[in-house]
Amino acid sequence: MHYKNDIFLKVVRGEEVPRPPVWLMRQAGRILPQYRELRASLKDFKELVETPDKAAEVTIQPIDELGVDAAIIFSDILVIPEALGLPYQMEEKQGPFFPKVISSASDIESLYSAEDAEARLQYVYDAIKITVKHLDGRVPLIGFCGAPWTILAYMIEGKGSKTFSQAKKFLYTEPLLAEKLLDKITDASILYLKQQVNAGAAHLQIFDSWAGLLSSEQYAQFSTKYIGRICSAIKGTGITVFAKGAMNALDDFAKLDCEVIGLDWTMEPDFARTKVGDHMVFQGNLDPCVLYASPESIRGYTIDMISRFGKKHIANLGHGVYPDTPLDNVKIFVNTVKEFKYNT
Ligand code: CP3
């Protein structure tokens, strides 16, 4: 596939570029009036996710409106639990809710197989195919999944939580069952990501949103290990691992079979570089709240971030863009990166 704008893929491959590529986590949806309009014409979030034509349309909106260097497929990490047999509901203003959760060995036994889960996600592969066709090589498309720990956390807790104490309790009280479930999620995620690549995804990102809730030891045992299995199973497509709050895992991440490490805003670029070494690209890590500040501040913080990372960097936020971020401020961020030039 030939891309008209391949600055993102070039950086992933370790090639020289004049400036960092830029995109925003959660850029599809939320902040765009075009998204809200389309969303309002449908029953709910899930209908949008499960209707390939519409999902493709929403995926392309930020490319047209913001001019970012990569698209990310409009979907959700929670499609994996659903495909395994735990449907989610997306409650207006409240977030996800699972009527059925995992609490025992038999609950895990009764889940669908990884192969069945893979087949039940055809609507995502269809959305990717339609998106790639309509993008027509303008920018590459990023596919994604949740990290097994973050997915397990939702499958046990059944909803969002500040502490995910039920999920963490499961790790402490039923570690063997937790590993069994993590294995299953990992197998399904590998098949799912491979199908996203077959459908046309040019890069993949693994989101470990709840990494920061685990101790270093637990994180190594219940998360990095499974992320590592996913990375090693994918060949020939670049992977970004974004684990929010996983500062203590950077040493282990250095050994992953992936190209890019996503950093949140608490992680200092020099510190991360020392931990990870020179062989990987970093992505991030502007605090999403900077985008509430004045235009001068947004420009200042953005240039400061780019300068501190130096090369081998993909400009992004340190987490998803917040829904109430003014669109003009998002544009200032994107344009500041696009106008930047590395000195040689
Ligand atoms: O990045 C993109 O723009 C692609 C689409 C995308 C969505 N969710 C769409 C979405 C991606 C990559 C995700 C990932 C996701 N989903 C994560 C990991 C990233 C992160 O932010 O930590 C998590 C934890 C989820 C689970 C989830 N989905 C929650 C907790 C919620 C409710 C709160 C929220 O973030 O809005 C969702 C809903 C959701 N997923 C929306 C969108 C556009 C908002 C729903 C709506 O429009 O009604």
Side-chain angles (χ1 to χ4, degrees):
M1 178 83 181
H2 175 77
Y3 293 97
K4 290 174 199 112
N5 173 353
D6 63 351
I7 190 168
F8 175 88
L9 294 175
K10 275 190 164 149
V11 169
V12 172
R13 290 194 297 256
E15 294 171 23
E16 286 277 324
V17 288
R19 60 158 176 98
V22 59
W23 69 283
L24 290 89
M25 290 190 280
R26 313 296 295 270
Q27 70 189 14
R30 296 179 129 191
I31 46 167
L32 297 179
Q34 301 91 309
Y35 168 79
R36 290 195 211 106
E37 208 177 295
L38 184 70
R39 167 88 165 67
S41 72
L42 298 170
K43 186 162 84 0
D44 55 18
F45 171 74
K46 279 182 83 170
E47 186 182 349
L48 187 47
V49 167
E50 291 164 13
T51 310
D53 279 336
K54 305 279 185 206
E57 188 177 336
V58 170
T59 301
I60 296 171
Q61 285 171 351
I63 313 307
D64 294 334
E65 183 74 34
L66 304 172
V68 282
D69 298 309
I72 181 160
I73 188 67
F74 185 82
S75 184
D76 202 275
I77 62 169
L78 303 177
V79 301
I80 280 281
E82 176 153 287
L84 284 168
L86 293 191
Y88 68 95
Q89 297 164 6
M90 199 57 80
E91 311 276 340
E92 237 21 86
K93 303 230 180 299
Q94 305 227 358
F97 176 71
F98 291 82
K100 222 171 40 167
V101 292
I102 299 289
S103 57
S104 66
S106 67
D107 292 340
I108 299 174
E109 294 299 327
S110 63
L111 292 172
Y112 287 108
S113 70
E115 290 75 17
D116 284 346
E118 174 193 19
R120 288 162 56 91
L121 291 163
Q122 186 61 42
Y123 62 89
V124 180
Y125 319 137
D126 291 342
I128 290 176
K129 284 183 199 152
I130 296 168
T131 303
V132 169
K133 183 164 169 267
H134 286 296
L135 275 176
D136 194 25
R138 285 167 70 194
V139 290
L141 177 66
I142 302 171
F144 70 90
C145 71
W149 150 245
T150 286
I151 297 301
L152 171 140
Y154 281 106
M155 290 175 82
I156 290 175
E157 199 85 23
K159 54 181 172 19
S161 159
K162 283 210 172 79
T163 57
F164 279 88
S165 55
Q166 292 306 309
K168 289 182 66 182
K169 175 179 165 189
F170 199 75
L171 300 186
Y172 282 110
T173 57
E174 299 286 359
L176 296 179
L177 283 186
E179 286 176 340
K180 205 166 170 203
L181 181 53
L182 289 165
D183 269 327
K184 180 111 196 206
I185 298 166
T186 302
D187 292 343
S189 302
I190 290 169
L191 296 175
Y192 176 52
L193 291 179
K194 285 184 174 172
Q195 288 295 358
Q196 293 189 48
V197 171
N198 289 342
H203 186 86
L204 299 167
Q205 177 157 328
I206 302 173
F207 287 89
D208 206 356
S209 305
W210 304 114
L213 296 179
L214 300 185
S215 69
S216 308
E217 294 75 24
Q218 278 203 320
Y219 193 73
Q221 182 183 356
F222 295 112
S223 195
T224 309
K225 181 175 152 197
Y226 298 91
I227 292 174
R229 266 189 52 203
I230 297 177
C231 292
S232 301
I234 305 288
K235 295 273 169 257
T237 304
I239 303 186
T240 299
V241 173
F242 170 68
K244 188 167 176 294
M247 186 113 75
N248 293 328
L250 288 176
D251 293 304
D252 289 341
F253 282 2
K255 293 173 235 147
L256 288 175
D257 208 354
C258 72
E259 289 69 20
V260 187
I261 301 291
L263 302 176
D264 68 53
W265 63 90
T266 66
M267 298 178 186
E268 213 275 310
D270 282 337
F271 174 83
R273 198 43 94 191
T274 317
K275 291 277 171 193
V276 170
D278 287 334
H279 64 298
M280 283 189 187
V281 175
F282 285 139
Q283 174 174 278
N285 71 343
L286 196 73
D287 184 345
C289 291
V290 166
L291 301 189
Y292 295 125
S294 66
E296 305 78 67
S297 291
I298 297 171
R299 283 188 203 103
Y301 281 108
T302 302
I303 287 174
D304 183 54
M305 168 190 68
I306 299 174
S307 312
R308 289 171 69 179
F309 274 103
K311 293 185 180 173
K312 289 192 165 241
H313 175 226
I314 297 163
N316 205 313
L317 304 180
H319 198 197
V321 59
Y322 295 131
D324 62 344
T325 308
L327 193 51
D328 285 344
N329 293 4
V330 176
K331 291 181 178 172
I332 292 168
F333 166 66
V334 171
N335 291 332
T336 304
V337 179
K338 291 179 78 173
E339 284 155 18
F340 186 87
K341 285 238 172 342
Y342 290 124
N343 354 313
T344 68

